[in-house]
Each structure stands twice: as structure tokens, then as C-alpha cells.
Amino acid sequence: MTPLDTAYAAMEAGGDQERLAFYGMIAQAELFLALTEEPVGEAIKPWIFDTGQGKFAIAFDTEERLSEFGNGPTAFVALSGRTVIEMLEGQGVGLGVNLVVAPSGTLLEPSDITWIASVLDSRPVTAEAWPEELRPPVGLPDHLILALDQRLSVLEGQARYAYLAEVAYDNGTQSHVIAFVNTSEGAEDALVQTISEALAFSGVEAANLDVMFIKSSDAIAAQFATAGLRFDLHQPQTDVSPDGEVPPGSNPDKPPILH
């Protein structure tokens, strides 16, 4: 069983909340996108199936499942689910995930691709306030905290760790806040987006979760350490092929090109 299998089983047994969590898991997962030929530079040619329901690209959450589906070695590119969704959005092409060879086999219609892409492209609202009091987080559903843990645990290098706490601000408002400690330069927007997506894919529409960035040397860091729930983030690893070239899709500023 893979994480996608587990999320799919939960969706089958649950409702809209579990369906959103499954979509979020697809966006977060590494997917092996089947190709008709080996990549040429940044250009890729996905294996597209034309069915009675429309056209679908095919991807799997393990290389073994891809090989089983293709009855042997099959050209592919390993991409984040986010990259695959963004690449297919607007193309009129859906996505078949783990078809035939896994219990999590499912078809995402082009409309599903568009909705997921809209969540991935959402932009949070910015505001300014300063915490006056921090308390242990209460009132947030367990599945949201689990979603935060799943997303933050696989991030690499954007920050050292993070704290989740309930907060009262100096402007009289109250909320929940997640504070990232010792954030890497330029990583703030990506971290804010990660939190926004965790909320959206958890289906917690009424929840409000603020994001702030602090240093471990800041006085408030000790308050977060006392009151907050801690999440640890992985540290970076270099993803370079043996010949020194970066695989297609590894650079978010240069996504693969369909042809």
C-alpha cells in the first residue's frame, strides 16, 4: 500500500473531505508520467489515451506500477503531482492515476484538473499584526493537523522547523498561526502557498491559519516552543543525474514542455 492507496481507500469510505484530501495527495506526490518516447531536453511527449470519456495522460506513484501497466520498461519522467497538474491544465486532457495496477486507480477529468490547478494557484491575503499571547492550538480538526504534518515533513530546506499555536494579536483579533523558524532566503511564498493548499485540500473552509516567519534567536521563538506544536522539515538534497544534467521537471522555473 502506498500513501495514495491509503488516501483513496479513505475517500471511498468517506465523503467530500476525504476526496479533497486525495486530490491534495496527488498534487503532493511524486508521479511517474508515462511518455511515448524518452525526453528530449525539457520537451516531453506524454502517453495520451483517447477514451469515450475524453483524453487522459497516465501516471503512477511508483516506477514498478508504471512498468506493470506498460508490460515492461516504459519511457517516463518523474514529476511532482503539482507539476503534472499545472502542465495539463487548460489542455483538455485529464489524468489517469494508477490505472489497472493499483487499488487507487482513478481518472481525473479535465474539470478536476482545472479545480486542483486553481487551488494550487490561489494567493493568500497578507496583513500585519503582532502576537501578544500564544496558547496551545485548540479547535483545529485532527485531519487538518495531519495534513499539515504530511506536507511539512516532506519539505526540504525551506525552514528548519515550524510551530503551530493559537494566537491573540495586538489588534484584538484571534486566530491560529504557524511560525516557520530560520526560513531559507526566498522560501516564504512557497511556504505560505503550502499552508494555503493544506487548508483547501482539507476542506476546512471556515478555518483561518496565519503564517509568520521568525528566527530561533528571536524572543518569541521561546514562546512558540512552549505553547506550539512543532513540525520538523527535512533538509535539502541535490537532485542531479549521473551525467550532471538536471532531470526534466526538477527546476520549477523551467517546467517540462509538451510536444
Side-chain angles (χ1 to χ4, degrees), residues 4-239:
L4 273 185
D5 295 337
T6 302
Y8 184 85
M11 178 181 70
E12 289 287 276
D16 287 343
Q17 177 181 299
E18 288 74 19
R19 177 178 58 84
L20 294 177
F22 179 65
Y23 286 172
M25 186 67 70
I26 289 176
Q28 181 184 349
E30 179 182 41
L31 296 179
F32 296 85
L33 182 68
L35 307 178
T36 58
E37 58 189 44
E38 294 296 333
V40 178
E42 292 294 329
I44 62 173
K45 191 172 183 179
W47 188 358
I48 304 293
F49 283 81
D50 197 348
T51 72
Q53 294 177 258
K55 296 181 178 181
F56 294 87
I58 306 297
F60 301 83
D61 61 353
T62 70
E63 189 175 347
E64 292 75 18
R65 287 176 169 178
L66 169 63
S67 296
E68 183 180 350
F69 180 86
N71 294 317
T74 302
F76 72 89
V77 62
L79 302 169
S80 68
R82 164 193 287 274
T83 300
V84 174
I85 293 294
E86 291 174 346
M87 184 177 63
L88 295 178
E89 201 277 324
Q91 302 295 319
V93 177
L95 180 64
V97 180
N98 286 342
L99 295 181
V100 180
V101 299
S104 54
T106 191
L107 286 175
L108 298 182
E109 302 283 349
S111 58
D112 298 324
I113 298 294
T114 297
W115 183 85
I116 297 172
S118 71
V119 172
L120 298 177
D121 193 46
S122 62
R123 294 293 178 264
V125 177
T126 59
E128 292 188 6
W130 186 254
E132 282 193 335
E133 183 182 0
L134 296 173
R135 299 181 290 268
V138 295
L140 291 177
D142 291 342
H143 68 269
L144 174 57
I145 294 176
L146 177 61
L148 290 171
D149 184 48
Q150 290 174 336
R151 285 181 169 268
L152 295 179
S153 66
V154 298
L155 294 180
E156 294 190 348
Q158 285 93 331
R160 297 296 299 181
Y161 46 89
Y163 291 112
L164 175 65
E166 188 175 331
V167 58
Y169 290 111
D170 56 4
N171 62 7
T173 62
Q174 298 189 40
S175 182
H176 287 88
V177 62
I178 187 160
F180 289 97
V181 183
N182 296 347
T183 304
S184 299
E185 183 178 357
E188 291 87 355
D189 287 347
L191 289 171
V192 170
Q193 188 65 22
T194 294
I195 300 305
S196 176
E197 291 169 14
L199 280 171
F201 287 124
S202 296
V204 189
E205 297 179 358
N208 184 30
L209 185 55
D210 301 331
V211 181
M212 65 182 298
F213 303 96
I214 62 176
K215 296 184 181 298
S216 56
S217 57
D218 293 341
I220 198 171
Q223 299 177 46
F224 271 108
T226 299
L229 176 64
R230 174 166 167 160
F231 301 89
D232 289 306
L233 282 69
H234 286 174
Q235 297 312 300
Q237 296 179 357
T238 302
D239 186 13

